[in-house]
Amino acid sequence: MPEVSIVLVEPLYEGNVGFTARVMKNFGFTRLVLVNPCKLGDDAIMRASHARDVLDNARRMTTVAEVYREFDFVVATTGEVSKSVCTPMRMPYYSPAEVREIVADIDGTVAILFGRENWGLANEELKRANLICTIPTSDVYPILNLSHAVGILCYELANLPRGEYPIAGPVQMDALYEHIDAFLDRIDHPDFKRENTMILIRRLIGRTKLTIREASTLHGLMRRTEWQMENREQTSYKGEI
Amino acid sequence: MPEVSIVLVEPLYEGNVGFTARVMKNFGFTRLVLVNPCKLGDDAIMRASHARDVLDNARRMTTVAEVYREFDFVVATTGEVSKSVCTPMRMPYYSPAEVREIVADIDGTVAILFGRENWGLANEELKRANLICTIPTSDVYPILNLSHAVGILCYELANLPRGEYPIAGPVQMDALYEHIDAFLDRIDHPDFKRENTMILIRRLIGRTKLTIREASTLHGLMRRTEWQMENREQTSYKGEI
């Protein structure tokens, strides 16, 4: 994965800068670049919360030209609104998920540019971008808060491994379906319904991505039921003898 | 597209409620439910910005139980932190992208639950959820701001295709879980295991988006098993008399 920096161009509100630092750190990003930002005070620090280090270590630049000089690959973000004023300047544009696919293969440094809260990025600032990214939004109210836009890009780019829990494999699933089929025999489930019922059960359990623990609980419940039936039968036979 | 509502459970900071309204509207969602929220004043209105209508039209509820009574399918969100204290209560969990896949097929009302800023959702509030969702975050600083978490879910859930088959609603699901609980009694399932087993079953069946037909097949299989047990018992009694 390439080294990704988040670049805020002339942010106007320090609270947004703080929230940006926080949401970056939430997704494992620590490189923040501030181009000619507003003054940062208590509000930025408060909203950065435990990402104070990201805020403190933010690099300062004075123009967007510096960003283009330094980074190997620059993605510029634009809102749905500015996209609609579209010249080739802001076209074609990619969704965050598409940007992720493209950026994943890059061997170099990547900067994601976010414009000012009120009017975004100027054409001059967009011109040299390798890629234009637009987060798909509602026509009714397309203007995202700056830190929410950063959060969505970071979420997509994070590619963080998801926690693992063991899913039941084919051997375990086959054993479970065999047990269920045997159980249906045990309760005299009619043959003419059997195939459809087994298909319904396979569809139903199949889409759960059953965990190993859950599979074993299902076996356990069937065994307990079988034992109850068995036990009662034996009592019954004893009574008859 | 199913009707998706965002539910904030006892939010503590009005600013987060305002930002939530805004980011919802950015992605085309307008149904906000507030369960016993903090007082909403100027800060909420300011951060809602042009989503003042979403804020003003927010429904109020007093307990999470009302949410479960009303919605067909409930997704509960938990942080990476609470996930690590893992009992069946918070397992297995799905990423927002996976939740989107599952929710896409639902023909019914969907609620996405978000807990308090400081300690999330209580086990009591999670217990009946159909699905647990965790946004994958960095171990270094996993705690997302509430409105950023909402934003990421809304981003993923936007533009869902329409549902196609009728899923079992809360009344049908309650009847099914009652039947299962009674069935566990019937097979002398031990009391000390009962709560965990019922939670595991709710998690498992909950995430299947059970159709009405499937629910009725499950009832049928349990009734057949019960009948078999009953019948064998009667035989047994006859034998003893």
Side-chain angles (χ1 to χ4, degrees), chain A residues 26 138 156 162 207-208, chain B residues 26 98 138 155-156 207-208:
Chain A
N26 288 153
S138 160
E156 279 289 4
R162 149 188 167 137
R207 68 184 187 260
T208 63
Chain B
N26 288 153
E98 291 169 321
S138 161
Y155 161 76
E156 281 286 4
R207 67 183 188 260
T208 63

Side-chain angles (χ1 to χ4, degrees), chain B residues 29-71:
Chain B
F29 297 97
T30 55
R31 295 162 198 273
L32 175 61
V33 178
L34 301 172
V35 177
N36 193 27
C38 57
K39 197 172 157 295
L40 302 184
D42 291 345
D43 202 32
I45 290 167
M46 195 181 78
R47 297 200 194 280
S49 193
H50 296 286
R52 176 75 188 267
D53 55 331
V54 174
L55 200 61
D56 288 345
N57 296 330
R59 288 181 55 198
R60 304 289 181 120
M61 293 189 180
T62 50
T63 66
V64 174
E66 288 177 61
V67 178
Y68 286 105
R69 265 201 300 280
E70 171 146 344
F71 289 90

Side-chain angles (χ1 to χ4, degrees), chain A residues 160-229:
Chain A
L160 293 165
R162 149 188 167 137
E164 291 292 324
Y165 38 79
I167 299 290
V171 173
Q172 287 142 334
M173 291 310 289
D174 284 348
L176 181 63
Y177 291 130
E178 266 169 44
H179 193 165
I180 291 172
D181 196 48
F183 185 88
L184 293 183
D185 266 345
R186 197 71 183 66
I187 62 171
D188 292 340
H189 185 271
D191 283 345
F192 76 95
K193 280 189 176 178
R194 182 67 57 87
E195 196 179 353
N196 273 343
T197 300
M198 280 307 295
I199 288 170
L200 181 146
I201 287 170
R202 275 178 181 276
R203 290 271 172 283
L204 200 170
I205 297 184
R207 68 184 187 260
T208 63
K209 288 179 282 183
L210 205 68
T211 66
I212 286 173
R213 167 147 184 206
E214 288 169 337
S216 113
T217 297
L218 294 181
H219 277 297
L221 292 175
M222 285 190 288
R223 268 196 304 270
R224 179 174 286 274
T225 307
E226 285 156 1
W227 187 90
Q228 289 281 335
M229 292 197 272

